[in-house]
């Protein structure tokens, strides 16, 4: 350990020279050795169990308390162990005495023999006759009675044996379901151009874009509108144009679209639109509602443009 008055002190943990003006922290190791620690090594010193020198006065006070507490805890555990062993010995002694008393019980206390428990009235006249025949017959060796045949233990099907047929049947059912051909989901029927345009008008009028068109119409006047079908993609392109602005939306025909009406383009000049988009076959009411023009209205609009 370096001296505290070194002109260039170093950290006792990492060995790095302490910079000028850098704060040095002193710690006490478990062997009561003073260690100088830089700022970067404080966490390492604290994880090693070292304590700051400023808390040195608490060590002498805590050690007697810990030693006394440890001794008290040890005495309590020894007393508890002794009490448990004594109680166990008493229980074993009582059990042994009870067993010896049962073994010493006289035969008279065991009750009458099985033959004596049956009264003469219970045996009936047949039993009396058999008894008289036994008394009249000369004493001789009695023939040993045939020993009854003992039926062997009946085997019972355990839960595993009962579960096997069920598991097999369930497996076969699952296999048959897996092998069965699954029906293919039906694709929606394709719509023609006229049906695509009518569907686009319905979905546009039920969307929030109708209110947007109504607000612009109040400011910019009545617009021109066109609906152009795209049978290959099963959607329609809706174009609404004013003199100073125009917008285009794609409207899908299927009902499971997450966004049925999608704004795809907008601009400032009608000349930016292609000729196919400037087919004004629809009209817009004051509330922004889009509607397809009739055949007569389309012919009138075409004659007016010509």
């Amino acid at each position: 350990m370096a001296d505290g008055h070194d002109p260039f002190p170093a950290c006792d943990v990492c060995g790095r020279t302490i910079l000028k003006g850098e704060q040095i922290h002193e710690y006490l190791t478990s062997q009561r050795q003073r260690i100088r620690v830089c700022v970067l090594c404080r966490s390492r010193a604290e994880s090693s169990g070292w304590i700051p020198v400023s808390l040195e006065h608490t060590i002498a006070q805590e050690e007697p308390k810990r030693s006394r507490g440890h001794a008290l805890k040890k005495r309590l555990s020894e007393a508890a162990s002794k009490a448990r062993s004594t109680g166990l010995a008493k229980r074993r002694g009582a059990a042994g005495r009870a067993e010896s008393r049962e073994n010493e019980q006289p035969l008279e206390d065991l009750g009458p023999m099985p033959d004596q428990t049956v009264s003469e009235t219970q045996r009936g006249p047949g039993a009396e006759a058999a008894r008289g025949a036994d008394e009249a017959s000369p004493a001789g060796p009695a023939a040993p009675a045939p020993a009854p045949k003992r039926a062997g233990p009946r085997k019972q099907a355990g839960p595993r044996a009962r579960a096997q047929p069920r598991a097999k049947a369930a497996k076969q059912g699952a296999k048959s379901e897996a092998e069965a051909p699954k029906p293919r989901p039906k694709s929606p029927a394709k719509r023609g151009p006229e049906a695509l345009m009518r569907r686009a008008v319905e979905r546009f009028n039920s969307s929030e874009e109708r209110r947007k068109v109504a607000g612009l119409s109040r400011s910019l006047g009545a617009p021109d509108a066109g609906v152009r079908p795209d049978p290959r993609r099963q959607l329609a392109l809706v174009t609404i144009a004013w003199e100073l602005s125009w917008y285009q939306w794609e409207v899908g025909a299927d009902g499971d679209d997450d966004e049925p009406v999608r704004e795809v383009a907008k601009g400032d000049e009608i000349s930016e639109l292609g000729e196919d988009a400037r087919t004004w076959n629809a009209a817009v009411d004051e509330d922004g509602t889009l509607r397809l023009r009739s055949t007569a209205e389309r012919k009138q609009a075409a004659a007016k443009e010509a």
Side-chain angles (χ1 to χ4, degrees):
M1 182 179 68
D3 190 7
H5 300 285
D6 291 344
F8 301 102
C11 176
D12 293 330
V13 177
C14 64
R16 183 177 61 83
T17 303
I18 305 299
L19 302 177
K20 185 177 180 180
E22 183 179 354
Q23 187 177 3
I24 303 176
H25 302 274
E26 291 189 353
Y27 285 82
L28 283 177
T29 64
S30 57
Q31 291 81 19
R32 303 297 184 270
Q33 183 182 5
R34 287 178 175 264
I35 298 296
R36 290 187 298 190
V37 180
C38 66
V39 178
L40 303 177
C41 296
R42 287 187 65 187
S43 59
R44 182 177 176 183
E46 293 176 357
S47 62
S48 300
W50 302 348
I51 63 172
V53 176
S54 59
L55 301 178
E56 182 180 5
H57 63 282
T58 61
I59 301 176
Q61 298 176 2
E62 291 179 357
E63 286 184 351
K65 294 180 181 179
R66 284 199 292 267
S67 61
R68 289 197 299 271
H70 181 70
L72 180 60
K73 185 177 180 181
K74 185 176 180 182
R75 287 199 298 271
L76 291 175
S77 61
E78 289 177 356
S81 177
K82 186 176 181 181
R84 285 195 297 269
S85 60
T86 304
L88 182 59
K90 288 182 179 179
R91 289 194 296 272
R92 288 179 177 175
R97 288 194 295 272
E99 185 177 358
S100 63
R101 284 197 299 270
E102 290 178 359
N103 294 333
E104 292 174 0
Q105 186 177 4
L107 295 177
E108 290 78 1
D109 297 340
L110 297 178
M113 296 298 291
D115 293 341
Q116 299 176 359
T117 57
V118 182
S119 62
E120 298 297 335
T121 57
Q122 291 176 347
R123 291 183 180 179
E128 288 292 339
R131 183 178 178 183
D134 292 340
E135 291 177 355
S137 61
K149 295 183 179 180
R150 294 184 180 181
R154 185 178 181 182
K155 295 184 179 180
Q156 296 182 358
R160 185 175 181 182
R162 290 194 300 269
Q164 285 180 354
R166 299 179 183 176
K168 188 175 181 180
K171 187 175 181 180
Q172 291 178 355
K175 186 177 180 181
S176 61
E177 290 180 1
E179 293 177 354
K182 296 181 179 180
R184 295 182 180 180
K186 295 182 179 180
S187 57
K190 292 186 177 181
R191 303 173 186 263
E194 193 69 24
L196 285 174
M197 291 191 295
R198 288 197 300 268
R199 180 61 174 164
V201 169
E202 293 175 0
R203 304 192 81 176
F204 183 86
N205 291 335
S206 61
S207 67
E208 293 294 330
E209 302 298 330
R210 181 184 62 81
R211 298 181 181 180
K212 179 179 179 180
V213 172
L216 291 172
S217 298
R218 285 192 294 268
S219 302
L220 303 177
D224 294 325
V227 181
R228 181 166 57 89
D230 188 350
R232 185 180 62 84
R233 299 171 60 194
Q234 285 294 291
L235 55 83
L237 182 67
V238 176
T239 305
I240 299 179
W242 294 267
E243 293 183 0
L244 302 176
S245 180
W246 59 268
Y247 291 85
Q248 282 185 334
W249 295 270
E250 284 185 352
V251 185
D254 297 333
D256 55 351
D257 294 342
D258 296 334
E259 189 179 0
V261 181
R262 299 178 295 274
E263 182 180 323
V264 294
K266 63 180 180 178
D268 298 329
E269 300 291 336
I270 298 179
S271 58
E272 298 172 356
L273 295 170
E275 294 183 0
D276 54 349
R278 284 184 284 180
T279 303
W280 310 124
N281 57 354
V284 179
D285 296 336
E286 294 181 358
D287 60 350
T289 302
L290 182 67
R291 60 180 178 83
L292 291 173
R293 290 179 176 177
S294 62
T295 306
E297 290 177 342
R298 295 178 190 178
K299 291 180 179 180
Q300 290 178 2
K304 187 183 296 184
E305 289 180 1

